[in-house]
Amino acid sequence: MSTNASSPHPGLTHSEAARRLEADGPNELPRAPQRTTWRIAFEVAREPMFQLLAAAVAIYLVLGDVSEAGVLFAMLGVIVATELVQERRTERVLEALHDMTSPRALVWRDGRRERLAGVDVVCGDLLELVEGDRVPADARLIESNDLLVDESLLSGESLPVAKHVGNGQAEGSSAAGPAIVYAGTMVVAGQGLAEVVATGARSEIGRIGKVLGSIAPEPTPLHRQTRQLVRWFSVLGLAVSLVVAVLYVWTHHDWLGGALAGITMAMSMLPQEFLLILTVFMAMGAWRLSQHRVLTRRSATIEALGSATVLCTDKTGTLTRNQMAVGALVRFEANRPVRWMAGDDPLPPTFHDLLHHGILASEQRPFDPMEQAFHALGARCLSPDVGWDLVHEYGLSPDLPVMSHVWRIDEGLPCRVAAKGAPESVAVLCHLPPDQREAVLAEAGRLAGLGMRVLGVAAADWGTEAWPVEQRGFDFRFLGVVGLADPLRDNVPQAVRECRQAGIRVVMITGDHPGTALAIARQAGLDGESGLLLGDQVAALSDLDLRRAVATTTVFARVAPQQKLRIVEALKANGEVVAMTGDGVNDAPSLKAAHIGIAMGGRGTDVARESASLVLLDDDFGTLVQAIRLGRRIFDNLRKAMRFVFAVHVPIAGLTLLPLMFGWPLLFTPMHIAFLEIAIDPVCSIVFEAEEEEPDVMTRPPRDPLAALFSPVLIAASLLQGALVLVAVGFFYWLLLHAGAPEGQSRAAAFVALVISNISLILVNRSSRSGWRVLLTARNRALWLTVLATLAMLSAAVGIGALRTLFKFALPLPATLAAAAVVGLGVLPLLLVQRAAGRRLAGLLGWQAD
């Protein structure tokens, strides 16, 4: 889109801009290449269960059993299709995230002003900057008129930074010089014209983003433990399967049959479900979090959120709203301050003049949060001005950080001049005597210690339109000071209390002033008395000393991005599970380094969002409490699901091995194992995922991040559960064979008993509490749907002739089926008794119950 405006600065020609775009590339941060469909399929093909099923398909084809080979091949297709759909959905989410913060730019080309996509901006372009624009690239100012830029996304400083034409660095600013505007920052007041000097990865945002490339993504503790467990059981399962294959060949002299027996044994022992259940739980957890407006970028970190021990949070826009509000009005009587504090409504009339002139010194349609705060309070407490016209303005300057507006009230009356700015500068303008100036500065310091931004306000009258060259030409009278606070989010104190109750330490890491940081910490309920460290102090500490310091320090102020990253790494070195929240570019390296990075989505940047694991779309700090609660619930239910899978593998493996040891007919083939693995175990994971949270989910301390996924008590309990089912079903199978029942009927009846026993295992493991009451009263719609679906599939396998042939079943007699059901359901009370006894024994020995 172009306009008819012209400028003495023609800017680049379109041809030159196109040439530079071709040479330098688009104005965007580097993005990781997407995984192709073939890459995802290759990763799936490397999974052991996939390879075992493929081997079984090949053997059945060699044997000429096309039907069984076809069914197993279809199962392979289901596995690959599921993985591809899931990965493609993730890629689409990442693409949507990348597009959310792409700015548009207003540039001059060929002497005309054009609005174009930020990615098309090139070095040498002339940017026109106006209030409300997001700066698309790093640029050097050519013209500036009262330009204020919000650099909180870059520096962490909540107050706007004055920008003006010139050279040098801005003293005290972590973002650098006043003559440079940076990509991703926001123009909050004034206007400017700037020449682009850096785009994409060469910008300040890009340089910070490069730090991310040197940080390896951190796998969660649960992922590491699960993979280690899978490796152990895979080695054990393969070793046993080789023994079974050799034993079968030795006794039956059948090499292909021995290979199938070995594959069946390996499939029965391979804990493929552990990683599958972990994936299902994380996907369902991502869906549940989305109901609370939390976007999950890396679902594997959801469960780690529940085990977080330290929550590192930024201040600006995270604990606070990044919206200024008037916190105090102070006028002086005989050098003694008279205060009105927010909440002391109504506003006394003696303060109306101070507030009124603060509004007069602000823009009529403000964008700056501080000026919006003046107008908001005035709308509540003052009558609107009628007939007042703004006739002249004086902007901020480096040597005098004060702005003044001149207003005409009525013809023939003197004009009213209103000024606001730094208290010490306004005091100089008003020529205050030393004692009064000392009182003003003391009060300003007190308000600053409360975390407020302090402005002085003054007024003057002027009788002619021959305006003085500068503001010092007016005879100002001092009206008072105004304290503006970046208010705390309303739900932050409650969220902090709940974190503390859950044993999670909340740490503030900010680039803001230490006094402001401590004030916000007190308001939020953080333990600011435990210590404060400045960024310079962090930089001076050795790694070992920093590890000692972060163990007790709660508030870090004036922290640069690299120092923030060192703090996170030091906490991790202390064994903490670190969750990090933030919304700015300065947060991105620590977001990626943390175990759980949580970006604020409403005002965050591409860099922050792409570095984080979770994105809070509503920027609500209180949503973190729900995420933590859900994370703990997920881990509890994950233990229940894995405890079930651990237990259910015992009878499956045992019933595969016992016939070979005792010379019985084989109970299982790869078809039966695939039925149990694909039709029952993943479905059961949905049941456990849907279980409600335990009553103590938010009153117990976080799980020890170094603790094993399975405690010795849990492993023993799971083995005993599985052994009980193995004995019951194995004895039932032996009785049927001993009674002379046909092989097909015995196999079908034993399989029915095993499936119903698995349902009993689900019921007994669905809560950490014991007793029939829990089984009957705890709500879980997915449980009963799963039971019905499982019984329907079992009925089809036994009742439909074609499926009976595939499974090598024969239709059992009704009495035999009834006996199988009794065996399956009969293990339930035995499991409950065994569990209650185990918990009582663990309590007596001082062990943690399962």
Side-chain angles (χ1 to χ4, degrees), residues 383-439:
S383 300
D385 293 319
V386 178
W388 288 46
D389 296 320
L390 180 64
V391 293
H392 195 62
E393 297 182 60
Y394 293 90
L396 299 169
S397 62
D399 60 329
L400 185 63
V402 177
M403 61 184 301
S404 299
H405 286 174
V406 182
W407 295 83
R408 179 183 293 114
I409 305 174
D410 283 313
E411 291 294 337
L413 293 179
C415 292
R416 178 62 50 85
V417 186
K420 65 176 173 61
E424 58 274 18
S425 299
V426 175
V428 170
L429 274 181
C430 297
H431 307 290
L432 296 183
D435 56 342
Q436 187 176 355
R437 192 163 111 185
E438 183 178 342

Side-chain angles (χ1 to χ4, degrees), residues 100-359:
M100 285 178 66
T101 55
S102 297
R104 309 251 326 153
L106 191 62
V107 304
W108 288 90
R109 288 186 179 173
D110 285 328
R112 298 170 64 86
R113 188 171 55 186
E114 298 184 1
R115 179 77 67 177
L116 48 80
V119 295
D120 295 330
V121 171
V122 298
C123 286
D125 262 331
L126 293 182
L127 300 176
E128 185 167 316
L129 304 173
V130 296
E131 189 172 305
D133 278 355
R134 188 174 294 278
V135 181
D138 290 0
R140 179 181 296 106
L141 285 173
I142 298 174
E143 297 177 1
S144 174
N145 181 18
D146 299 340
L147 188 64
L148 291 178
V149 178
D150 178 1
E151 294 184 342
S152 60
L153 291 174
L154 190 65
S155 67
E157 176 63 52
S158 60
L159 301 177
V161 178
K163 296 289 183 177
H164 53 83
V165 178
N167 297 310
Q169 299 284 23
E171 184 177 354
S173 171
S174 61
I180 300 293
V181 290
Y182 297 96
T185 60
M186 180 74 74
V187 179
V188 299
Q191 299 177 353
L193 189 69
E195 180 183 359
V196 174
V197 295
T199 61
R202 294 170 294 279
S203 65
E204 185 70 16
I205 284 180
R207 284 192 287 273
I208 293 177
K210 288 179 182 178
V211 178
L212 305 180
S214 62
I215 304 173
E218 182 76 15
T220 67
L222 182 56
H223 255 74
R224 291 195 297 267
Q225 294 176 21
T226 302
R227 290 191 179 278
Q228 185 178 33
L229 188 68
V230 169
R231 283 195 296 268
W232 288 347
F233 277 91
S234 297
V235 171
L236 177 62
L238 291 175
V240 174
S241 66
L242 287 175
V243 173
V244 167
V246 172
L247 181 62
Y248 189 94
V249 172
W250 180 268
T251 56
H252 293 77
H253 306 289
D254 183 356
W255 287 95
L256 290 178
L260 281 176
I263 290 173
T264 302
M265 190 68 200
M267 292 174 63
S268 70
M269 294 191 66
L270 187 66
Q272 182 73 13
E273 301 89 352
F274 287 145
L275 292 176
L276 178 61
I277 288 174
L278 189 60
T279 300
V280 171
F281 268 61
M282 296 308 103
M284 292 299 294
W287 176 79
R288 294 187 188 279
L289 278 173
S290 69
Q291 306 307 299
H292 296 282
R293 296 190 56 76
V294 179
L295 180 64
T296 305
R297 296 193 67 252
R298 286 186 283 276
S299 60
T301 61
I302 297 175
E303 47 77 23
L305 187 60
S307 62
T309 58
V310 175
L311 174 57
C312 298
T313 175
D314 190 22
K315 179 189 74 69
T316 305
T318 306
L319 293 176
T320 66
R321 302 175 189 171
N322 201 35
Q323 298 172 355
M324 288 289 179
V326 175
L329 296 174
V330 183
R331 58 187 184 85
F332 294 85
E333 294 180 355
N335 295 341
R336 296 182 59 186
V338 179
R339 305 182 183 97
W340 175 88
M341 305 299 292
D344 296 343
D345 288 337
L347 181 68
T350 53
F351 289 93
H352 286 189
D353 199 37
L354 171 60
L355 176 59
H356 183 215
H357 283 83
I359 296 172

